Amino acid sequence: MFTFTDKAAVTTCDGVSRRDFITAGALSAIGLTLPSFAKLKAEGKVDPKKSNKACIMIFNLGAPSQQDLWDMKPDAPSEIRGPFKPIRTKSNAFEISEILPLHAKIADKFSLVRSCYHTAAAVHDTGHQMMQTGRLFTGGVNTPHVGSALEFLQGRRSDLPAHIILPESMGPTGGNMPHGQDAGFLGKAYDPFVLNANPSEKDFKVPDLLPPNEISEVRMERRREMRELVDSSVRNFEYSEQAKLMDSNFESAYRIMTSTQAREAFDLTKEPLKVRERYGLNRFGQSCLLARRLVERGVRFVTVNTFITVFGEITWDIHGSKPFTSIEGMRDIVAPMYDQGYSALIEDLFQRGMLDDTMVTCLAEFGRTPKINPAGGRDHWPNCWTVNFAGGGVKGGEVIGKSDDIGGYPTERPVAPKEIVATIYQALGVDLHTELPGPQGRPYPVVDFGTQAIKELFA
């Protein structure tokens, strides 16, 4: 947190002195600390016009079971194949689980990658990092989330931040490592805007669109006067580069707090009730609807966490016993919610003509064990799992890669997390040789040298 001060002590009408402070700590919550986007743009390091593509990343925290959903093995023994049957889909290339009937109806619009794997520890944190950044947190190097790197490289397109996380950042998942949902070595200036609210609640409001406490009693029509006050308060510093950066960042933060566009983007009451019901009147469904509204209004990247933690709530983490989820809990609660929200999002984007320019990718940190455990669930399994892609130039109705007879290991076209991240970058118009300013100013490529996108996904 930093503050702006001045030599003179001038008191405003609400009793706050100019010598007191106009706190800028709130800026960090919306990813607007130093260095400023304006400076980077002037140096030619970012290009706001580089791409009009957007991405919605749905991160299935907890890790869905590939054998029970996307890569079923109906001819395997019962302890492998599980209790569910495959059903035909609108794609001639694959079947999926009977507990995802709405996915089956739109299967021509998304493609599956059935051969993802990683060789790191079978803990949630490692998968979260690699699938969102392309790298594991090692040697103290924290690689930025792909959405944060995109904001650095391409900047904003509107008053709204370039990268937003819904509904909250990932919480505890059993480890103490970074989850890969911040800007890492790029600095807090490029951290995502985190909603930190449940969009399905009746009194839903966005906390960081409310004025900071220091100006909470100032009427809306006086905010411009407050901006003028800050201009005055930094006058003693305005000739230094640091002060110019602070001023630019305040302007960015001020813009989002007072922007009609930003407020309307988050206002789900603008949507017809029928549309809201189509997505599902729950946290995930309304987050998907909000993601569509944000992309529609210029946000480049939205990350939707299906769950916040694997503890104390029904999630994809189907170990079979409390505090985790059973296969039945997945069937009765998780899958219907997910099926409704995802299918509504894809259909809505398609009907609005937005799907071609909006990649929707559904990721997870790993898969589940081929064999059902004694508790009636499945445990962590990073050796093989399935993710899917839709829109943004991706061909629909295809299958890339193949697993063995029990869904335990890839047998064709193994795909590592860094290739997933490279695919997202490529779809968003980022050259895979692009370098970011890493620790100690050392150039850091967006993905490891030689990493390629999954070319089979694209026409």
Side-chain angles (χ1 to χ4, degrees):
M1 179 179 289
F2 54 87
T3 59
F4 298 106
T5 61
D6 196 14
K7 294 180 180 179
V10 177
T11 303
T12 64
C13 60
D14 62 354
V16 178
S17 70
R18 205 160 73 182
R19 183 179 293 279
D20 287 335
F21 52 83
I22 300 299
T23 303
L27 306 190
S28 63
I30 53 177
L32 292 167
T33 54
L34 303 179
S36 72
F37 170 66
K39 180 175 184 291
L40 293 167
K41 183 178 177 182
E43 293 176 351
K45 293 181 179 178
V46 296
D47 183 2
K49 298 181 180 179
K50 191 170 183 179
S51 174
N52 287 323
K53 300 277 185 168
C55 180
I56 298 172
M57 175 191 287
I58 297 175
F59 205 97
N60 286 309
L61 186 148
S65 166
Q66 67 273 21
Q67 297 92 344
D68 294 305
L69 297 171
W70 320 108
D71 190 10
M72 307 189 76
K73 305 297 178 180
D75 298 325
S78 59
E79 66 269 22
I80 301 295
R81 68 173 184 262
F84 309 123
K85 297 179 181 179
I87 57 173
R88 298 186 64 179
T89 71
K90 203 171 180 180
S91 166
N92 294 323
F94 60 83
E95 297 179 329
I96 59 175
S97 175
E98 62 183 337
I99 66 175
L100 296 174
L102 298 177
H103 275 66
K105 294 180 180 180
I106 60 164
D108 59 323
K109 294 181 173 58
F110 66 85
S111 289
L112 301 175
V113 180
R114 283 178 167 167
S115 52
C116 296
Y117 78 100
H118 73 70
T119 57
V123 295
H124 295 284
D125 295 7
T126 57
H128 294 158
Q129 295 162 21
M130 291 188 290
M131 292 297 284
Q132 296 177 99
T133 73
R135 296 186 179 95
L136 188 61
F137 179 74
T138 56
V141 178
N142 190 9
T143 304
H145 186 289
V146 60
S148 295
L150 188 72
E151 176 155 10
F152 175 87
L153 294 168
Q154 297 183 358
R156 298 181 174 202
R157 293 191 295 188
S158 67
D159 288 345
L160 290 155
H163 179 202
I164 296 176
I165 289 181
L166 308 175
E168 300 177 37
S169 296
M170 291 179 178
T173 55
N176 59 1
M177 294 178 286
H179 288 117
Q181 292 205 314
D182 58 32
F185 58 65
L186 287 178
K188 290 190 176 296
Y190 299 96
D191 275 351
F193 180 100
V194 182
L195 181 65
N196 283 327
N198 183 347
S200 68
E201 292 180 349
K202 292 182 179 180
D203 58 348
F204 165 60
K205 293 180 181 179
V206 184
D208 286 325
L209 288 188
L210 301 175
N213 291 337
E214 286 78 17
I215 60 171
S216 61
E217 296 181 3
V218 180
R219 296 178 180 178
M220 289 294 292
E221 62 267 23
R222 301 297 300 277
R223 286 179 181 167
R224 179 54 58 181
E225 294 179 25
M226 182 63 76
R227 179 66 184 88
E228 292 171 358
L229 173 63
V230 174
D231 283 341
S232 175
S233 71
V234 300
R235 188 167 295 143
N236 289 332
F237 308 103
E238 64 184 1
Y239 294 108
S240 71
E241 187 63 29
Q242 189 82 340
K244 291 177 183 178
L245 295 176
M246 289 180 180
D247 189 64
S248 177
N249 282 319
F250 187 96
E251 178 61 38
S252 296
Y254 176 85
R255 194 169 77 235
I256 187 174
M257 285 194 298
T258 59
S259 169
T260 300
Q261 180 191 44
R263 291 183 181 278
E264 288 185 350
F266 286 101
D267 188 357
L268 290 178
T269 65
K270 302 288 186 183
E271 294 289 336
L273 180 58
K274 184 177 180 179
V275 172
R276 297 192 69 179
E277 290 175 340
R278 171 65 183 93
Y279 276 82
L281 297 176
N282 53 65
R283 186 177 67 187
F284 174 70
Q286 296 304 290
S287 291
C288 286
L289 174 55
L290 188 52
R292 187 268 287 165
R293 287 182 61 83
L294 293 170
V295 167
E296 198 170 28
R297 287 156 178 81
V299 175
R300 294 187 183 277
F301 206 105
V302 181
T303 301
V304 177
N305 292 322
T306 52
F307 301 103
I308 310 307
T309 178
V310 295
F311 302 111
E313 65 174 317
I314 303 297
T315 74
W316 294 115
D317 204 24
I318 56 166
H319 290 288
S321 58
K322 293 182 179 180
F324 306 106
T325 307
S326 65
I327 287 182
E328 292 74 22
M330 178 181 68
R331 176 195 65 199
D332 298 337
I333 300 173
V334 179
M337 172 203 72
Y338 187 76
D339 194 35
Q340 182 175 5
Y342 176 76
S343 61
L345 175 62
I346 298 301
E347 287 183 329
D348 204 358
L349 290 170
F350 177 75
Q351 291 166 2
R352 291 170 180 269
M354 297 172 60
L355 192 58
D356 287 345
D357 290 327
T358 306
M359 169 176 276
V360 181
T361 179
C362 300
L363 308 182
E365 59 267 44
F366 42 62
R368 313 305 298 190
T369 49
K371 187 175 181 180
I372 295 175
N373 65 28
R378 299 185 192 265
D379 300 318
H380 301 175
W381 188 258
N383 301 297
C384 189
W385 77 96
T386 300
V387 302
N388 69 45
F389 289 86
V394 168
K395 294 185 293 184
E398 302 289 330
V399 174
I400 290 84
K402 184 179 180 181
S403 68
D404 61 15
D405 291 342
I406 61 173
Y409 296 90
T411 58
E412 295 178 7
R413 186 55 170 98
V415 173
K418 60 184 179 180
E419 295 173 88
I420 299 288
V421 172
T423 301
I424 297 170
Y425 275 127
Q426 179 173 294
L428 295 173
V430 175
D431 189 299
L432 298 184
H433 295 98
T434 300
E435 293 179 336
L436 302 170
Q440 290 79 50
R442 181 173 54 140
Y444 234 81
V446 290
V447 291
D448 290 339
F449 180 76
T451 302
Q452 299 295 318
I454 307 170
K455 63 180 184 300
E456 299 94 326
L457 282 170
F458 301 94

